[in-house]
Amino acid sequence: MKDTLEKIRHDALKDLDTAKDPQAVNALRTRYLGRKGAVTQCLRQISTLPPEQRPEAGKLANTVKKALETAFTEALKRLEETAGGPLEALDVTLPGRPFGRGHIHPITQTAQEACDIFLRLGFEIVEGPNVELDYYNFEALNIPKDHPARDMQDTFYISKDVVLRTHTSPMQVRVMEKQPPPVRIIAPGPVYRVDSDVSHTPMFHQIEGLMVEEGISFGDLKGILTTFVHQMFDEETALRFRPSFFPFTEPSAEVDIQCVICRGKGCRVCSRTGWLEVLGSGMVHPAVFEMVHYDTDRYTGFAFGVGIERIAMLKYGIDDIRKFFENDIRFLNQF
Ligand code: DAH
């Protein structure tokens, strides 16, 4: 028995030396240690030996069994390491895992589309700070401290004189302060308000527009905004200019477009009115021109502010503005 066990150990280790892959090692393990394996057979025969030989034979059989276990396990580990992982798991015929390709966020897409329309109309793009002085956000726009018009926009105050801009309108002042007329700019970007529900998020996006020159009239405002709406939606979309109030324009108008869902018949989205409010606009107030030392006898201009999320919601029929900011891939993939 002793000789048999020593021979088994010797043969097994020799065979193991020639094993080139995990399958071969596993086959050897079965041959020597499996249910019908050589070592197992020996262990079984121990009970047939004379009692005085049994302890020694049993001890040796277990030693050989353990030694071979260790040798097989180590051989497997070595082979798998040199192959860079469990060989069985590598199927070179499997198709590769695709990397999801990113794309432009629907709000950015809508903003770019809107900007492109104004670029074609001769406007230039400018950008400015999101953390803004109270002076530009309010005061220079004819909204003095403690003026009731400040209630129109719930403001995030950083300090007494610094706010998160509540609209892109401060860019009007920043631009005019730096250059004389003619001015023809748009200013896209994020704005912030203390507001949160299905149609409001604390951060959203606007595009500001400003055109100042000699002889600019309300007709120019109507022409530019009509072109914008027709290119953003379609030529069939009717517009309506509704008298309104903004401290920095006089006269002021809110622009409604014919409901893109029901085509003006009246539905849930347009609260049965057939119209949807899309932007604020007006002729630049002389008080604003005075802040930037423009000659109010010589120059006139118009300004407008469009909500980008609002346009995107109408364009794509989205009923909850928060969807744009949840970053759900299933939603974003549709654009
Ligand atoms: N800033 C206004 C708002 O956020 C929108 C607006 C109205 C902008 C009239 C303008 C304008 O430039 O002329 O509510």
Side-chain angles (χ1 to χ4, degrees), residues 96-102:
R97 287 195 194 129
F99 276 99
R101 190 147 168 234

Side-chain angles (χ1 to χ4, degrees), residues 109-125 184-186 211 223-224 226-235 304 315:
Q109 278 185 45
T110 308
Q112 283 176 351
E113 210 175 308
C115 286
D116 283 345
I117 296 171
F118 289 111
L119 285 176
R120 287 196 293 271
L121 291 167
F123 286 75
E124 224 179 287
I125 297 180
R184 208 184 265 210
I185 57 103
I186 48 168
M211 184 164 177
I224 293 282
T226 304
T227 305
F228 167 68
V229 167
H230 283 175
Q231 295 199 6
M232 200 69 204
F233 294 94
D234 60 50
E235 300 270 331
F304 59 88
K315 211 170 148 71

